[in-house]
Amino acid sequence: MPYEQPDSGAAPARYVLGVDVGSTVVKCHVYDRAAAVRGSSYRTVESLHPRPGWVELDPEVLWSQFIGVIKDTVKAAGLHMRQIAGLGISTQRGTFITWHKRTGKPFHNFISWQDLRSAELVNSWNKSFLLKVIHVIFTVLHFFTGNDRYLAPSFLTFSTHQTSMKLSWVFKNIHEAEEAAKKNNCCFGTVDTWLLYRLTKGSVYATDYSNASSTGIFEPFTKCWNPTLCNLLSIPMSIYPPVKDTSFNFGSADSEIFGVPIPIMAVVADQQSAMFGECCFHPGDVKLTMGTGGFWNVNTGEHLFASRGSLYPLIGWKIGEEVVYLTEGSISDIGTSIKWAQDIELFTNVDETAEMAQCVANSQGVCFIPGFQVSGDDPCLCASFMGLKPSTNRNHLVRAILESVAFRNKLLYDIIVKKVHIPLQTVRADGGVSNNSFVMQMTSDLINKKIEKPANVDMSSLGAAFLAGLASGFWTDKKQLKKLRRIEAVFEPQKDSEEYRPSMDAWLQAMKHSPHW
């Protein structure tokens, strides 16, 4: 049944929609020209775990949730679909699906970026003689040419988070996908590509540069799907979608879905979208997202930094001739740890945690070791508390959890300063954990840098809306977008970072004892 809209006459298009399809929630906001939220809706994403270590999403359920939040948001705002100038879609990265080109039928559920089914394949490759040969070849090439595009392959290692390994698993284990690929009838898509395909009833098959670069299969230096990697892993090159600009007219949603054809004006990966929503448009601009996990992103402008240790390069966005590159580092188990503490009733409301941490002078020597995210490299890795005493209470435990977030922020920030040779500007924070004043202040103290928190922390939705608004002419340029930024709080360093040295040293010592216990 087509979506029925009440008649609104010729209401002008005065609003844009920003949808964020995350790992745990699908959110939608409708924004006016002042970038104020006029209506919102969200639905929880339910993960499937058919086998230990496997994490999947049902594509039909995700589609239903996506359409539902858009309809609910427009209704909550008291608006009509024909008043929407454009739709921007931000999506979780690395989660993918394959389907039959002719029938549109998926060969499997979405395989999440969190999925570990490729663990054996990863371990086999990382121990292989062939990978050692590849390291030597690219080390020599980098030495003689000085070209940074040869640097990353010179110390390439595979991980379970990479799309490439899970995609290789698909073609080794799902016969229908393998057979379809042989006949050029197999389509690969991340969440954005699948939603585009469904919204347009199969007429648009595409992704954008930010999502493509986040798969690890797309070569950011050449801006092409990587044939060398695909040949290495026996992945057919015919399966990949065309790559389009991030802010771009992708076509319109079929009128049967929403009652009117809504223009799809942007698709973007979630961290890059949050970067755009924070207006980090210039080299040296820094974005810190603290949600389920943590992500530090630095705008490196036209310069693409090759992977170095825990940092990796990404395409931030492409708009016309402009291509902006980012360097990213990530931290696992931030929001996850806090949610676990709430589940075991260390506190009732997450808003209490900052006050609980501040009501004790220190954690009394208690250290929290994050480790909820199962690792293929260390199956024994687990979250734990160290330094518990008879006098330890829930305030000490909560403080230890929050301190671990700030300590890990400090470690990653120091790596960024050392490896990224660009003067870093003010840090702009977003994500649910940025609402925690204790974490924000301690991080500011540790890195000796000012941190800004926006009034609206759902930056992935806003970034998608900004990109859609630029493509549709709803907003004129990035200069106008910067004027729409609303800062709710600014955290400036109040303590010398050396004051935290004893507690951070104790935490680092605890971290050293935790692996392979």
Side-chain angles (χ1 to χ4, degrees):
M1 286 287 290
Y3 177 62
E4 293 185 6
Q5 275 274 285
D7 182 38
S8 66
R14 292 178 176 166
Y15 306 91
V16 290
L17 285 169
V19 186
D20 176 28
V21 185
S23 301
T24 56
V25 176
V26 180
K27 297 178 185 176
C28 181
H29 300 296
V30 60
Y31 300 91
D32 61 19
R33 289 190 192 277
V37 175
R38 295 293 298 269
S40 303
S41 180
Y42 75 92
R43 297 194 182 185
T44 303
V45 174
E46 297 292 339
S47 297
L48 306 174
H49 303 273
R51 295 187 192 178
W54 290 27
V55 186
E56 298 181 351
L57 303 174
D58 184 317
E60 291 305 318
V61 171
L62 191 66
W63 169 249
S64 174
Q65 291 171 324
F66 176 78
I67 298 302
V69 293
I70 292 176
K71 292 178 180 179
D72 290 349
T73 299
V74 173
K75 185 177 180 182
L79 302 176
H80 303 273
M81 287 293 180
R82 60 172 56 89
Q83 291 176 271
I84 304 302
L87 167 64
I89 304 169
S90 161
T91 55
Q92 58 180 283
R93 305 176 302 179
T95 297
F96 73 92
I97 193 169
T98 62
W99 67 93
H100 197 285
K101 186 183 292 184
R102 190 165 42 82
T103 66
K105 183 181 176 183
F107 295 117
H108 51 83
N109 285 334
F110 275 108
I111 298 176
S112 169
W113 62 272
Q114 300 163 304
D115 188 280
L116 297 173
R117 73 186 65 197
S118 62
E120 284 186 21
L121 201 57
V122 167
N123 289 334
S124 173
W125 265 105
N126 286 341
K127 293 174 183 176
S128 69
F129 177 72
L130 179 56
L131 193 60
K132 291 180 175 64
V133 171
I134 290 168
H135 288 169
V136 171
I137 291 171
F138 281 97
T139 299
V140 171
L141 284 171
H142 181 255
F143 178 79
F144 283 108
T145 66
N147 192 328
D148 269 1
R149 66 173 293 193
Y150 299 127
L151 185 59
S154 70
F155 49 80
L156 171 69
T157 54
F158 293 105
S159 81
T160 54
H161 292 321
Q162 291 167 339
T163 304
S164 56
M165 276 290 149
K166 288 183 281 247
L167 192 52
S168 179
W169 181 95
V170 165
F171 289 111
K172 290 180 188 300
N173 292 274
I174 301 177
H175 179 70
E176 295 88 345
E178 182 188 23
E179 287 301 307
K182 288 177 182 176
K183 299 173 183 176
N184 288 339
N185 275 329
C186 181
C187 294
F188 161 87
T190 42
V191 175
D192 60 300
T193 303
W194 170 253
L195 292 175
L196 270 176
Y197 189 81
R198 290 295 297 268
L199 283 167
T200 59
K201 296 205 168 174
S203 67
V204 176
Y205 177 51
T207 188
D208 92 296
Y209 283 86
S210 68
N211 277 293
S213 76
S214 300
T215 63
I217 309 171
F218 190 82
E219 172 53 64
F221 284 93
T222 60
K223 302 185 195 68
C224 295
W225 297 106
N226 191 328
T228 306
L229 181 64
C230 291
N231 288 333
L232 200 64
L233 300 178
S234 302
I235 301 171
M237 286 293 292
S238 62
I239 67 171
Y240 297 113
V243 184
K244 306 292 186 184
D245 282 10
T246 308
S247 181
F248 179 78
N249 187 346
F250 286 89
S252 293
D254 191 276
S255 58
E256 285 191 9
I257 299 172
F258 299 115
V260 294
I262 294 181
I264 307 162
M265 305 305 286
V267 298
V268 58
D270 56 3
Q271 295 308 316
Q272 289 93 318
S273 188
M275 191 85 171
F276 202 88
E278 290 274 28
C279 297
C280 293
F281 300 144
H282 306 290
D285 284 348
V286 184
K287 186 264 311 170
L288 165 60
T289 295
M290 293 185 287
T292 306
F295 294 90
W296 283 83
N297 295 91
V298 181
N299 183 324
T300 59
E302 298 177 355
H303 187 71
L304 180 61
F305 283 86
S307 295
R308 287 178 171 87
S310 54
L311 304 179
Y312 42 91
L314 293 169
I315 296 176
W317 51 83
K318 183 177 182 296
I319 304 174
E321 295 300 310
E322 179 196 46
V323 180
V324 171
Y325 294 103
L326 311 179
T327 289
E328 180 174 280
S330 64
I331 307 167
S332 64
D333 292 335
I334 290 185
T336 315
S337 301
I338 296 170
K339 177 67 167 61
W340 168 79
Q342 184 176 20
D343 289 343
I344 65 165
E345 300 181 354
L346 282 182
F347 56 86
T348 306
N349 190 313
V350 72
D351 296 336
E352 305 168 29
T353 55
E355 189 176 337
M356 290 175 71
Q358 287 160 349
C359 79
V360 289
N362 50 55
S363 69
Q364 211 180 58
V366 176
C367 298
F368 176 70
I369 311 303
F372 290 110
Q373 195 166 327
V374 180
S375 167
D377 302 322
D378 181 6
C380 294
L381 182 69
C382 64
S384 60
F385 283 104
M386 292 189 185
L388 296 173
K389 304 169 184 66
S391 57
T392 299
N393 62 39
R394 64 181 63 201
N395 294 331
H396 297 119
L397 298 178
V398 167
R399 182 172 177 122
I401 291 171
L402 299 185
E403 283 183 345
S404 77
V405 175
F407 290 151
R408 286 183 291 154
N409 279 337
K410 163 68 171 170
L411 291 178
L412 193 49
Y413 181 82
D414 285 351
I415 292 170
I416 290 168
V417 170
K418 185 178 179 182
K419 301 291 186 182
V420 180
H421 305 296
I422 294 176
L424 302 181
Q425 307 305 316
T426 298
V427 178
R428 298 169 186 179
D430 62 85
V433 182
S434 69
N435 289 316
N436 190 293
S437 59
F438 179 85
V439 172
M440 293 285 280
Q441 186 58 58
M442 188 172 174
T443 300
S444 175
D445 291 344
L446 285 167
I447 68 174
N448 194 34
K449 204 83 174 170
K450 183 168 75 173
I451 305 177
E452 295 176 350
K453 186 180 88 69
N456 177 5
V457 296
D458 286 336
M459 281 294 130
S460 293
S461 296
L462 181 60
F466 275 172
L467 287 158
L470 287 179
S472 62
F474 188 78
W475 289 300
T476 53
D477 53 30
K478 286 186 282 188
K479 187 177 179 181
Q480 183 185 6
L481 297 183
K482 286 200 280 188
K483 292 177 181 176
L484 301 177
R485 284 192 72 224
R486 298 290 178 266
I487 300 169
E488 183 179 275
V490 178
F491 295 84
E492 300 203 41
Q494 294 180 357
K495 289 184 182 180
D496 191 306
S497 62
E498 284 301 309
E499 292 186 40
Y500 296 98
R501 177 62 58 193
S503 55
M504 188 163 180
D505 284 347
W507 178 79
L508 288 169
Q509 193 66 27
M511 288 288 285
K512 286 178 184 176
H513 288 299
S514 63
H516 303 286
W517 64 274

